[in-house]
Amino acid sequence: MGERGPYRGWAVTDAAGTICKMSSQWSWVMNALYIFLSICSLGVSGGLVQSCGYIIPESPLLTLGSNFTALCILNESCLDFGNIHANQIIWKIKSSVVPKEQYRVINRTVSSVTFSDTSTLATPLTCNVLADGQIEQNIYGIAVTLGLPPEKPENLSCVVRQMSKNTFIMTCTWNPGRDTFLATDFRLKSQWPKETLPDCEPQGVNNSCEISNVQFFVNLEVWVEAKNALGKAESEHINFDPVDIVKPLPPRNLIVSSGELPTVLKLSWENQISVVEMELKFNIRYRISDSPDWMEVPPEDTASHRTSFTVQSLMPYTKYVFSLRCMKKDGLGSWSDWSKEKSGVTSEAKPSKGPLLWRKIGTSHSPNSRTVHLIWKELEPSEANGIILKYEVAVRARPPLLCPPEKYSVNSTNLTLNLTNGTYDVTVTAHNRIGGSPPSVLLLPASNSKASVKDIKAFPKDGKLWVEWMAPDKSIVKYVIEWCIVSDSLDCTIEWQQELGTSQGTFLKGDIKPFKCYLISVYPLYTNGQGNGQSTKAYLQQSMPAKGPTVQTKKVGKAEAVLVWKPLSVDEQNGFIKYYTILYRTINGNETAVNVDPSKTEYTLSSLSSDTLYMVKMEAHTDEGGTSGPVFTFTTQKFGKGEIEAIVVPVCLAFLLSILLGVLFCFNKRDLIKKHIWPNVPDPSKSNIAQWSPQTPTKHNFSSKDQMYPEGSFTDVSVVEIEADDKKSFSEQDLKPFNLLKKEKNTSEGHSSGIGGSSCMSSPRQSVSDSDESESAQNTSSTVQYSTVVLNGYRDQIPSVQVFSRSESTQPLLDSEEKPEDNPGGGENATPRQQYFKQNSSQDETNTDGSYFERAKQVTPPVNEEDLVGLTQLQISGHRSQLCGSGPEKNKPESALADALRSSTEGQILRLETMGINTATVDEEIPKSYMPQTVRQGGYMPQ
């Protein structure tokens, strides 16, 4: 029955065996034990296990997709003890049960299974039995091998590779076909017409093989044979001469040298295969050094065997890179690999064209001229044909200008000219060591009076910046396109290019950067002028702004707020700002968004709550998104516009009205207020005492101050004090007028404060206003106030009598006045009081005999009551000197008096001295205080 499979049924190596699983029913356990002991037996050969059945065929090798039938055969010995039948057999593939539709019971011991497609088979395939309808036991199993027979190898080809000058290896390759899933053996077979060569076995691959011993000039037959367990196959047979399939080594030692002509280069090399073995043809390629594009020499020019070649039609002063390859001259075989690259430079030639020329018009200080900045581009290497050494610029004026042509030689690519207004032709020529280029011509018209382009647009396209426009007419020679980066921190550096007059769009050439704003202008050039440039702005690529606007408040009201912000700089925009968004909210409120036009820099928020804190920020948006600025807070006002004014204005008006009423009240009560605040002081200039005297009581009109005191007149008031004991020096008749004055003073005290009420007089003495009864009862010291009026004659009259005026001064009398008998002559030993009293007299009086008091008695007539009544109506004002003045201050009234006395030319100066009587007993040695008073023309000063 052949070799048994690795899988067996139930088996034991001992009589006891292995007890199967028992069920709860005792009969089932007994039957199972009986079956187990019946189908298992101990062999006699070394203790091997003998199966109760087997499967045929044993370990089959099957073709994928074919039909297959297997048989499971049970042993007769197992049938006798286990009561087993073939219909109890179950077929399984791994752990999956094969459908019973594929089973067939041939007899009591044989069961078969059939598979119509072996691709569903897997290892292992097992035969199992269901004993007593309950227990499933494995009887036998086999391993199934699936695969495919080899296919016919296809596309067999061979090539002979040159490894060195005399070493060649033939390599043949083929297509092995599909995978067979089995071990398949490939062999390369070859033979000469009369000799079979050894087979070539592939090493590690199944699709190629190498033969080292190659013979040329002999016919060789080659084929491939494939073989495995399911079959074998052979490829087509090919015949060839190995010399016809050679791939030679590339030429070596390539040398490139320039010739006398600027458009040729000479190549030379060394071939690595002898001409005896084969003749070669060549393929030469070349390119400009900075270009990736290769050009080839026409194949017919290099179809013969050679070791050098001259390449023509090259560009002057250009670096070229060369490489070449070779193959058998008749075209059989394969091209060699390309040789190592070598480079060379052609000779110089004159520049092939002039530089591209343009201009920038600047401002000039003179209205009759303009500044022109000529600019031109460096020539491309293919145009310069050498090293440019200089540029020659020629400027020619067109009529009516009569300026001679001017020529300039510069090494840079720009030139600045100051030209008179007019039309000019400018030419620029580039020069190298060989010569000059054709001139480039530019017309500088007096003005751009030609038509401009229309509808200029710029936008990104295919990763570049595309500019297009509409031509104004068909007579345009060319266009000039200018562009520069618009930036707040950098100057606008102009770049430009020229396009043909037939163009209506182009890509900007140069390094165009994303997120940068470009200002693009297009100028049309005509044969006799040019048009104004039309401009637009564009971005190659936009992004979100770098930052958001910073918003602030311009004015905040009760329910509205005016927001202001500065537009973002061009460098911060990163694109075109489409709109702004203002976002504002209270601390706990919802956010409100407002979109604002990008051209605005101010916006008013309305319908706000009063006295509320708001948070506001601003976003700037481009096509790619928006960016927020910093948050700004503000608080609305508690009161609206006009509310505070409505409160303040009535209050102010009420205050002003109160002030006005107070002023009116004061005005109506001015007399009462004046009496309590500043009482009236008599004005000596209005006194009629100037015309009064005890002898001549005639009254005069003193209404005019100019008539009362003509130029040079003045009044001097002296206050003297006498002791009461000195009354003996005067007669009763002399003292009578003063008693009358004292009474008059008492009657007028309520109407005037008098001079004696001055703050400068702090003496505790009682004034003459005290009642007579008080004076007589207390017998205290008292003062009698007098004044002396000294003046020129009234209206140039010489007064014949002394005139008295009244003084309310409480100044005590001087010692000289109290005791005139002590110093009758007024000598040097006079007391200070006497000296002061004398200083108030004129210089002529110093030589007179007798005292002032004696003279007073001589000239003073009796005073009647009528005269005293007139005297009481006179008001005198005078200046009182300082109480504690220094020496020079005391002399001022005396000097003024002396000047007045000397200036008088007519009349006689009369001095009336009045004296006060002190009734108290006073120590004669105590100095008496005094206070002079001076009354001058035109005014008075109360003391």
Side-chain angles (χ1 to χ4, degrees):
M1 291 187 300
E3 182 181 0
R4 295 288 185 263
Y7 297 94
R8 300 289 185 266
W10 294 345
V12 294
T13 57
D14 192 281
T18 301
I19 301 176
C20 301
K21 182 188 258 186
M22 294 181 294
S23 67
S24 59
Q25 298 178 356
W26 178 251
S27 60
W28 182 87
V29 175
M30 293 303 296
N31 290 334
L33 180 61
Y34 174 78
I35 294 173
F36 174 76
L37 294 175
S38 298
I39 65 176
C40 297
S41 62
L42 180 62
V44 294
S45 297
L48 296 177
V49 177
Q50 183 179 3
S51 175
C52 287
Y54 56 91
I55 298 175
I56 56 173
E58 185 79 20
S59 300
L61 180 59
L62 305 176
T63 302
L64 282 171
S66 62
N67 293 329
F68 172 67
T69 300
L71 300 175
C72 181
I73 302 174
L74 299 178
N75 292 331
E76 291 291 341
S77 59
C78 293
L79 298 178
D80 297 336
F81 297 97
N83 192 23
I84 298 175
H85 195 273
N87 58 7
Q88 296 176 328
I89 293 176
I90 298 174
W91 293 91
K92 286 187 175 183
I93 300 176
K94 290 186 177 180
S95 59
S96 300
V97 177
V98 177
K100 292 187 177 182
E101 290 80 6
Q102 299 177 222
Y103 297 176
R104 181 186 175 193
V105 178
I106 298 176
N107 53 37
R108 183 171 178 268
T109 61
V110 179
S111 174
S112 67
V113 62
T114 301
F115 299 94
S116 60
D117 186 359
T118 55
S119 60
T120 60
L121 279 175
T123 298
L125 175 64
T126 59
C127 173
N128 305 276
V129 63
L130 188 63
D132 197 24
Q134 298 293 333
I135 301 176
E136 181 180 316
Q137 299 296 334
N138 178 253
I139 300 298
Y140 204 78
I142 59 174
V144 180
T145 301
L146 301 176
L148 294 171
E151 289 185 325
K152 178 182 177 180
E154 302 288 344
N155 302 325
L156 175 61
S157 64
C158 298
V159 59
V160 177
R161 300 178 182 274
Q162 184 183 8
M163 308 306 295
S164 64
K165 190 169 184 179
N166 297 315
T167 302
F168 299 89
I169 294 178
M170 185 177 74
T171 302
C172 295
T173 59
W174 61 87
N175 183 6
R178 66 189 178 186
D179 187 7
T180 62
F181 306 104
L182 300 174
T184 303
D185 182 26
F186 291 88
R187 293 178 179 272
L188 177 63
K189 295 180 175 294
S190 60
Q191 65 180 12
W192 291 334
K194 295 182 178 181
E195 183 180 354
T196 301
L197 300 176
D199 293 345
C200 178
E201 297 182 4
Q203 301 296 322
V205 294
N206 62 355
N207 62 345
S208 67
C209 193
E210 293 183 351
I211 300 175
S212 59
N213 187 14
V214 180
Q215 299 294 327
F216 291 159
F217 309 112
V218 60
N219 189 43
L220 183 65
E221 181 181 2
V222 179
W223 71 96
V224 178
E225 181 183 84
K227 183 179 180 181
N228 65 12
L230 295 178
K232 67 177 182 178
E234 287 186 358
S235 67
E236 297 288 341
H237 292 225
I238 58 174
N239 296 278
F240 54 86
D241 186 348
V243 74
D244 295 334
I245 59 172
V246 173
K247 180 181 180 180
L249 290 173
R252 62 183 180 180
N253 299 331
L254 177 62
I255 298 174
V256 180
S257 58
S258 60
E260 296 180 358
L261 299 176
T263 59
V264 299
L265 287 174
K266 185 178 181 180
L267 309 180
S268 61
W269 64 89
E270 178 184 346
N271 295 319
Q272 299 191 69
I273 191 169
S274 68
V275 68
V276 176
E277 292 178 337
M278 67 178 67
E279 291 186 350
L280 302 174
K281 67 178 181 178
F282 302 91
N283 191 354
I284 300 174
R285 66 178 184 177
Y286 62 94
R287 62 180 175 87
I288 300 174
S289 61
D290 55 356
S291 173
D293 300 327
W294 289 95
M295 296 169 283
E296 290 188 3
V297 175
E300 57 272 16
D301 295 343
T302 57
S304 59
H305 189 87
R306 64 183 64 222
T307 57
S308 64
F309 186 79
T310 300
V311 182
Q312 303 177 6
S313 301
L314 302 177
M315 292 185 296
Y317 200 71
T318 304
K319 184 178 181 180
Y320 287 92
V321 178
F322 292 90
S323 179
L324 73 160
R325 61 182 180 175
C326 62
M327 70 177 301
K328 195 167 181 287
K329 182 180 179 179
D330 56 7
L332 299 176
S334 302
W335 284 101
S336 69
D337 295 330
W338 290 101
S339 67
K340 293 182 179 180
E341 296 179 354
K342 292 293 181 178
S343 62
V345 181
T346 54
S347 301
E348 288 190 69
K350 291 182 180 181
S352 59
K353 61 180 295 186
L356 297 176
L357 180 60
W358 187 232
R359 89 292 176 273
K360 292 189 293 183
I361 305 298
T363 58
S364 176
H365 298 291
S366 174
N368 297 325
S369 63
R370 54 180 172 166
T371 301
V372 179
H373 302 279
L374 297 177
I375 54 177
W376 55 88
K377 290 183 178 293
E378 293 183 352
L379 294 173
E380 297 291 337
S382 59
E383 301 168 345
N385 295 337
I387 300 175
I388 300 300
L389 303 177
K390 64 178 181 178
Y391 296 94
E392 290 187 355
V393 182
V395 180
R396 297 178 178 84
R398 288 189 178 184
L401 295 178
L402 302 177
C403 303
E406 296 183 1
K407 293 185 178 181
Y408 306 89
S409 180
V410 295
N411 297 324
S412 60
T413 57
N414 59 81
L415 177 64
T416 300
L417 302 173
N418 191 15
L419 303 177
T420 305
N421 293 338
T423 302
Y424 295 85
D425 290 314
V426 179
T427 60
V428 176
T429 305
H431 291 262
N432 60 15
R433 285 179 292 192
I434 305 303
S437 68
S440 296
V441 181
L442 177 65
L443 177 64
L444 299 178
S447 62
N448 297 336
S449 58
K450 299 297 182 179
S452 303
V453 298
K454 303 176 182 178
D455 299 332
I456 179 173
K457 299 177 183 178
F459 49 87
K461 180 180 179 181
D462 299 332
K464 299 179 182 180
L465 200 54
W466 173 262
V467 184
E468 63 183 22
W469 59 88
M470 183 178 295
D473 52 48
K474 299 181 179 180
S475 61
I476 296 175
V477 177
K478 57 185 175 182
Y479 295 96
V480 173
I481 296 93
E482 286 184 352
W483 73 90
C484 69
I485 296 178
V486 180
S487 174
D488 295 327
S489 58
L490 300 175
D491 293 334
C492 188
T493 303
I494 297 295
E495 297 185 51
W496 56 280
Q497 67 189 53
Q498 288 186 356
E499 299 295 333
L500 298 176
T502 57
S503 301
Q504 291 191 4
T506 183
F507 288 106
L508 295 186
K509 301 177 178 67
D511 185 16
I512 307 300
K513 300 178 181 179
F515 316 135
K516 297 294 183 181
C517 181
Y518 284 88
L519 177 63
I520 305 169
S521 302
V522 178
Y523 295 85
L525 304 185
Y526 300 83
T527 55
N528 56 351
Q530 68 183 40
N532 286 319
Q534 296 296 317
S535 302
T536 187
K537 291 181 179 180
Y539 284 86
L540 176 62
Q541 182 180 350
Q542 298 189 53
S543 179
M544 294 187 299
K547 58 180 290 189
T550 300
V551 65
Q552 294 180 338
T553 54
K554 178 180 179 181
K555 182 180 179 182
V556 178
K558 179 180 179 182
E560 69 282 335
V562 180
L563 304 180
V564 294
W565 61 90
K566 291 183 178 180
L568 295 178
S569 65
V570 179
D571 297 330
E572 297 170 340
Q573 292 180 7
N574 292 338
F576 293 112
I577 302 298
K578 295 298 182 181
Y579 60 92
Y580 292 117
T581 299
I582 298 176
L583 305 170
Y584 65 96
R585 64 181 179 88
T586 59
I587 296 298
N588 299 320
N590 296 327
E591 192 170 62
T592 303
V594 179
N595 291 337
V596 183
D597 189 87
S599 61
K600 294 183 178 180
T601 58
E602 181 176 311
Y603 186 80
T604 301
L605 299 179
S606 58
S607 301
L608 303 179
S609 300
S610 62
D611 195 21
T612 304
L613 178 66
Y614 279 89
M615 303 173 64
V616 61
K617 64 180 179 180
M618 198 166 187
E619 294 180 351
H621 292 263
T622 64
D623 289 337
E624 300 299 323
T627 303
S628 297
V631 177
F632 180 79
T633 60
F634 66 91
T635 303
T636 54
Q637 295 183 0
K638 188 173 183 179
F639 299 100
K641 182 179 180 181
E643 292 182 0
I644 297 179
E645 290 82 349
I647 299 174
V648 173
V649 170
V651 173
C652 294
L653 291 177
F655 180 72
L656 293 176
L657 182 59
S658 300
I659 293 176
L660 181 59
L661 293 176
V663 171
L664 293 176
F665 176 80
C666 293
F667 182 78
N668 292 332
K669 301 295 182 178
R670 62 185 180 278
D671 294 334
L672 181 61
I673 295 174
K674 181 178 179 182
K675 177 179 178 181
H676 288 84
I677 298 178
W678 56 88
N680 292 327
V681 177
D683 187 356
S685 64
K686 299 180 180 180
S687 174
N688 56 9
I689 196 170
Q691 299 297 326
W692 173 88
S693 68
Q695 296 177 354
T696 58
T698 306
K699 298 183 180 179
H700 299 276
N701 182 13
F702 293 99
S703 61
S704 175
K705 293 182 181 180
D706 294 336
Q707 296 175 0
M708 180 182 299
Y709 299 108
E711 184 67 28
S713 65
F714 63 91
T715 303
D716 182 81
V717 178
S718 297
V719 179
V720 296
E721 210 174 61
I722 62 173
E723 299 292 337
D725 296 339
D726 291 340
K727 291 183 180 180
K728 61 184 179 178
S729 301
F730 304 94
S731 63
E732 184 179 353
Q733 185 178 0
D734 294 335
L735 297 176
K736 184 179 179 180
F738 304 110
N739 294 328
L740 295 175
L741 290 173
K742 180 178 178 182
K743 294 180 180 180
E744 179 64 25
K745 197 268 179 188
N746 291 332
T747 59
S748 63
E749 185 177 7
H751 302 283
S752 175
S753 63
I755 302 174
S758 172
S759 63
C760 294
M761 298 303 294
S762 60
S763 175
R765 301 174 183 266
Q766 288 182 331
S767 65
V768 281
S769 61
D770 297 335
S771 63
D772 295 339
E773 291 80 8
S774 175
E775 288 181 8
S776 62
Q778 297 179 4
N779 193 21
T780 58
S781 70
S782 156
T783 61
V784 179
Q785 300 181 2
Y786 301 96
S787 65
T788 301
V789 179
V790 183
L791 72 161
N792 290 332
Y794 177 71
R795 297 183 178 178
D796 297 332
Q797 298 176 6
I798 300 176
S800 59
V801 294
Q802 289 184 329
V803 181
F804 294 89
S805 67
R806 180 182 177 186
S807 173
E808 296 182 358
S809 174
T810 60
Q811 188 76 330
L813 296 176
L814 299 178
D815 291 341
S816 59
E817 296 174 311
E818 295 173 355
K819 297 180 181 181
E821 66 275 13
D822 295 341
N823 190 11
E828 296 179 354
N829 298 324
T831 63
R833 298 185 181 183
Q834 295 170 349
Q835 292 176 359
Y836 175 79
F837 187 80
K838 291 179 179 181
Q839 288 173 357
N840 289 304
S841 303
S842 64
Q843 293 179 358
D844 296 336
E845 291 175 345
T846 58
N847 296 325
T848 60
D849 296 330
S851 64
Y852 284 93
F853 303 104
E854 293 175 351
R855 291 195 301 269
K857 291 191 290 183
Q858 293 174 3
V859 299
T860 303
V863 180
N864 55 34
E865 186 177 356
E866 182 181 358
D867 295 334
L868 292 176
V869 174
L871 182 60
T872 58
Q873 298 176 355
L874 179 63
Q875 296 181 351
I876 301 175
S877 173
H879 292 281
R880 177 183 298 170
S881 62
Q882 295 181 357
L883 178 61
C884 301
S886 60
E889 293 294 333
K890 294 179 181 180
N891 295 332
K892 288 182 180 180
E894 285 81 2
S895 61
L897 176 60
D899 294 339
L901 292 175
R902 285 194 299 269
S903 64
S904 63
T905 58
E906 295 183 11
Q908 181 180 0
I909 300 175
L910 296 180
R911 186 174 185 91
L912 176 62
E913 297 179 357
T914 59
M915 294 169 292
I917 299 175
N918 191 349
T919 60
T921 303
V922 182
D923 190 358
E924 296 180 358
E925 295 179 358
I926 300 175
K928 307 297 181 176
S929 62
Y930 61 91
M931 186 66 183
Q933 297 186 6
T934 301
V935 179
R936 297 186 182 276
Q937 177 183 1
Y940 63 92
M941 179 180 291
Q943 299 297 322

